[in-house]
Amino acid sequence: MKFMLMMNAPRGDGDWGVKNWTMDELKAHIGFMKTFGQDLKAEGVLVGAEGLASPGQARIVRANPKDHTPEVTDGPFAESKEFLAGYWIVDVESPEQAHAIAARASLAPGPGGKPMYLKIEMREVMSAPPVEP
């Protein structure tokens, strides 16, 4: 079973306060993320993972109904309180195994090196329906 684990960060000013962190706090957070990814890879469950740019760089794109050219606007959801900061896709045997991985991700350190207890949204990655002969 594949699951996408999405780390949501408090929106604030779009940088979720990291610009106020000390260099040591930032290095600890990034180090945690790198080690966490390496651990998941070593455990054989990591499919992919990426950190994402701040919401200020997000854009919404759709095709123009008249000529199908791209319509690009700022977004999404400027009023939202949280934003997607990064994700992992894991391939595990059970939802409970994905829960345990998500809880580990939630422990990423923040200011003072203390765990941030970030909310990790978990959603199953759907596979294609079976093909009938």
Side-chain angles (χ1 to χ4, degrees), residues 21-22 24-26 28-29 32 107-117:
W21 293 9
T22 67
D24 287 341
E25 290 168 340
L26 191 56
H29 183 80
F32 173 93
L107 295 172
K114 296 179 182 174
M116 295 179 67
Y117 300 106

Side-chain angles (χ1 to χ4, degrees), residues 35-46:
T35 300
F36 182 61
Q38 291 167 347
D39 290 348
L40 294 178
K41 187 174 182 179
E43 293 165 21
V45 298
L46 183 64

Side-chain angles (χ1 to χ4, degrees), residues 96-108:
E96 293 77 17
Q97 187 179 3
H99 295 160
I101 293 169
R104 287 165 51 196
S106 176
L107 295 172

Side-chain angles (χ1 to χ4, degrees), residues 13-102:
D13 63 2
D15 291 321
W16 56 299
V18 296
K19 68 181 181 182
N20 299 322
W21 293 9
T22 67
M23 187 55 66
D24 287 341
E25 290 168 340
L26 191 56
K27 285 180 181 179
H29 183 80
I30 292 169
F32 173 93
M33 291 300 174
K34 286 182 177 180
T35 300
F36 182 61
Q38 291 167 347
D39 290 348
L40 294 178
K41 187 174 182 179
E43 293 165 21
V45 298
L46 183 64
V47 175
E50 296 291 341
L52 301 174
S54 71
Q57 296 180 37
R59 300 293 178 264
I60 299 294
V61 181
R62 72 175 190 151
N64 180 304
K66 294 179 183 175
D67 62 8
H68 302 175
T69 60
E71 286 184 354
V72 182
T73 59
D74 290 347
F77 320 117
E79 69 282 352
S80 68
K81 294 180 182 176
E82 295 181 333
F83 69 92
L84 183 60
Y87 68 89
W88 300 265
I89 297 179
V90 295
D91 191 354
V92 294
E93 297 295 320
S94 69
E96 293 77 17
Q97 187 179 3
H99 295 160
I101 293 169

